[in-house]
Amino acid sequence: MDYKPKRLKAKDYVDGVLSGNRTLLSKAITLVESKLEEDQNLAKEVMASIMPYSGNSVRIGVTGIPGVGKSTFIENFGKNIVEEGHRLAVLTIDPSSDKSSGSILGDKTRMESLSKLPEVYVRPSPSSFFAGGVGEKTREAIFLCEAAGYDVIIVETVGVGQAEALVRQMVDFFLLLLLPGSGDQLQGIKKGIIEFADGLVITKADGDNLIKSKIALQEFKQVVNLLSNRDKGWRPPVKICSSVTKKGLNEIWGMILDYEKNRKINGAWEETRKDQQVYWVKEQTRVLIEKRFFNNPWIKKNIEKYMPLLINGNVLPSEVAEKLLEDFVVYLKKQS
Ligand code: GDP
């Protein structure tokens, strides 16, 4: 097809986002996620204009293994928040949408009634955006949603990969959902994730699960006591809830508001956001260096020559990498 849609200008995106137009917000996020150079240049322009309007929200990361009840939780928890007069954006990191667009539809049906509310915006992003440190794009999506007037942002991840460490660096409150099972086994969750959770919630505390979830509550309180040594007076609370009976959902929102109040009084809220900015400067620097390194003509020409060292010389990959880097530095010195 040679049909080409009319290209929007930076001002079209900016005006659209600032006026809360959801179609243009979606288009702006797509633009930011695009890998095309011309899109990236336009995206930079858009981001520079909307940045002054970003920042005014509570950013919540929600994670947990598949099946723990994340989307059901977000759907019901989200409705409560909206009833209190907030506008909610949900950004989901969707590993299955990397291959086809099919699951994007799937995700929409996951939070169907929530996404139909006029105060709510739901957006799935493929998890490939996290590969190679480009979680920055989700961060930019947060800023765009804030500029569009959403004052609560939920970023949902599946709780098993490296995405959580990056999401931790872009949210104010990191909520870990757990099944009403034993705390001993940590349910396949990396210990590290518990260490950086700001709150833990045992899901599905209803029916036959109610007793199990109360036991899990006690167990996870102990796990938190052992694992967590959080600074600035916040010990991550452990709560139970049911998205079916809706019990506990308000308490979780209350916990997040408490956290916000507590952190704002002692300055930790802004401090953490500043630390996150520093983190992303370093992360982006790393990404840029890596890209330029592998695109360098000398590296492109010579990198393969180093590989036989591995096979012939019983040399460790790290040593090969060091040798490559040393020779590259020598080459650069000769150039200057
Ligand atoms: P996700 O994969 O973490 O997003 O989990 P889902 O929200 O899709 O939920 C997985 C399954 O658990 C579904 O069959 C839900 O109906 C069920 N579920 C979710 N929340 C609850 C709950 O609070 N109570 C009960 N009994 N079932 C739930």
Side-chain angles (χ1 to χ4, degrees), residues 64-73 110-111 156 177 203-207 209 241-245:
I65 54 169
V68 73
K70 290 180 297 297
S71 59
T72 321
F73 169 79
R110 279 174 75 214
M111 295 179 210
E156 179 201 6
L177 302 190
T203 55
K204 309 190 191 184
D206 49 55
N209 278 329
C241 84
S242 162
S243 302
V244 172
T245 65

